[in-house]
Amino acid sequence: MRSDRIKKGVNAAPQRSLLYALGLTEEEINKPLIGIVSSKNDIVPGHTNIDKVVDAVKQGVALAGGVPIVFPAIAVCDGIAMGHEGMKYSLVTRELIADSTEAMATAHPFDGLVMVPNCDKNVPGLLMAAARLNVPSIFVSGGPMLSGSDWNGESASYSTMIEAISRFKVGEINENELKVCEENCCPTCGSCSGMFTANSMNCLTEVLGMGLKGNGSIPAVFSERLRLAKKVGMQIMELVKDDIKPRDIMTNEAFINALTVDMALGCSTNSALHLPAIAHECGIDLPFDTINVVSEKTPNLCHLAPAGNHFMLDLNKAGGVYAVMNELDKMGLIDKSPITVTGKTVGENISGCEITDNEVIRSKDNPYSKTGGLAVLKGNIADDGCVVKRSAVCDEMMKHSGKARVFDCEEDAVNAIYDNKINPGDVIVIRYEGPKGGPGMREMLYPTAAIVGSGLGNSVALITDGRFSGATRGAAIGHVSPEAAEGGTIALVEEGDIITIDIPNYKIKLEVSDEELEERRKNWKPKEPNIKTGYLARYSKLVSSGSTGAVLS
């Protein structure tokens, strides 16, 4: 066993003495030691129930003959961090989570690992750590939140709340209605109830083969979640026994499957950051353009919030991720050969998993669109590409041309929207918010929600070298690469320039001549870094482009 280096022989006597100090018996020390990475904390709603999930995992490990040992991972609540400097610390925690887990699991050589994440960055961070360590590993998330209600009693989620701010500011709802939404839109613990980043990545964990059926969709408050956690605890012992490792599971074929299901589900644009970063840890190149290749042949089968009025509970009732995969397999779009944490292949896992509600998961013969939920656009303003969640874009905005309204930070753009300085037809440009320029590549849910809540969702586009929450809807185009801080063309845009967006044809263009751009480039000067000390300053020096997953070099 991997743990033998701290358990066997005379030279391990000092380590054994410390294991005894933990209260372990000799019988326990002789069993496989299973590390359980717990993301439990008391500030993230998606993590407040994780102690119960971890306890269930521990029971499963013990039932199957292992010794469970818990250690922590951090997590940021993107919703609480949204709209202020705290959001600069969201994406960057992905690397902290991966690095700290690598450190803990190497310093203490566990025989297997159970990862218990939930919200946005600790799911990909722990997947990156699993790939890097390549120790038998399995995932079980804390589960999604139930949907809540708004001021009219309609189904609602966190994104409804953000948009309600603008509705209040323009007089569409009153203060009491705002408060009703505030108190009722997020009714339980769990990751926010739509197809936002956390739920996207937890669903894709199933597709990658690193989680059991239901990992992404069983609600946090269901007892079924605890039963799943116990099964996960038992299953890690099988993975250890059979020596099935993450890189055996997360193959190139598994990543193409993940992108395929991503397109069908209409996942968050953040998956375009996280899947390449996880693939990078597996030694696999997943180019940005792969999204379009997969999207062209993959129908969009689901419109979960914010794209529609269905939520994670609805997806779970309709058959979950495996039902989506089985439907895609009928079109020949799923590679059934990869092995998974079940010890079986993808094909064996999804066999017989049928859709039970064709309103929530549409059939291959009646998709929302013939192409997938994400699109990568390219043009002179984004030579390396940018990404949009086209499943959440209205028909009127699929093609758009308008005047640039230029802002060098998120706050200035939000103020302009709230002060009624943005006109129908405009294209808002928010720059110097990329991985290096932010630093940290902030999510832009506040400006996109302000656009929609102000009634401009059908007439105003937004482009940024930052990124978007999975809760964002509308013509919101992020990850513009190269970013402004690196001298990308987005840094050269001037107020009033015309920007043309053509999502169906994967194009975006700044309507300025090459000669004029070259002249502007001569006069461009790098912007003074926003932050010069601490972790973010170090991160800024090491981070790669958003088009390559914003990984550290």
Side-chain angles (χ1 to χ4, degrees), residues 287-357:
F288 213 20
D289 289 345
T290 309
I291 288 173
N292 289 348
V293 174
V294 173
S295 182
E296 275 297 312
K297 58 185 179 182
T298 306
N300 179 226
L301 304 181
C302 299
H303 265 193
L304 278 74
N309 295 318
H310 299 139
F311 298 87
M312 294 305 296
L313 174 59
D314 302 313
L315 177 65
N316 193 59
K317 289 180 178 178
V321 174
Y322 277 17
V324 175
M325 294 177 73
N326 190 42
E327 189 67 15
L328 293 170
D329 181 52
K330 294 174 184 177
M331 301 176 65
L333 296 177
I334 294 292
D335 190 316
K336 296 188 286 189
S337 66
I339 195 71
T340 71
V341 290
T342 65
K344 300 177 181 178
T345 65
V346 168
E348 290 173 303
N349 287 345
I350 67 175
S351 178
C353 295
E354 299 291 340
I355 300 167
T356 59
D357 187 335

Side-chain angles (χ1 to χ4, degrees), residues 181-204:
C181 185
E182 181 182 324
E183 292 176 347
N184 293 282
C185 68
C186 297
T188 72
C189 64
S191 50
C192 293
S193 56
M195 187 51 76
F196 310 152
T197 304
N199 293 326
S200 295
M201 294 310 302
N202 281 323
C203 287
L204 296 182

Side-chain angles (χ1 to χ4, degrees), residues 151 164-165 167-175 177-178 181:
W151 51 92
I165 297 171
R167 299 189 191 283
F168 172 73
K169 287 180 179 287
V170 300
E172 186 177 323
I173 62 174
N174 60 38
E175 188 172 353
E177 289 171 317
L178 183 72
C181 185

Side-chain angles (χ1 to χ4, degrees), residues 9 100 138 159 189 205 240 249 266 297 313 355 409 428 509 518:
S100 60
I138 188 170
S159 61
C189 64
T205 299
V240 170
I249 295 168
K297 58 185 179 182
L313 174 59
I355 300 167
C409 69
I428 296 171
K509 185 179 182 182
E518 186 58 35

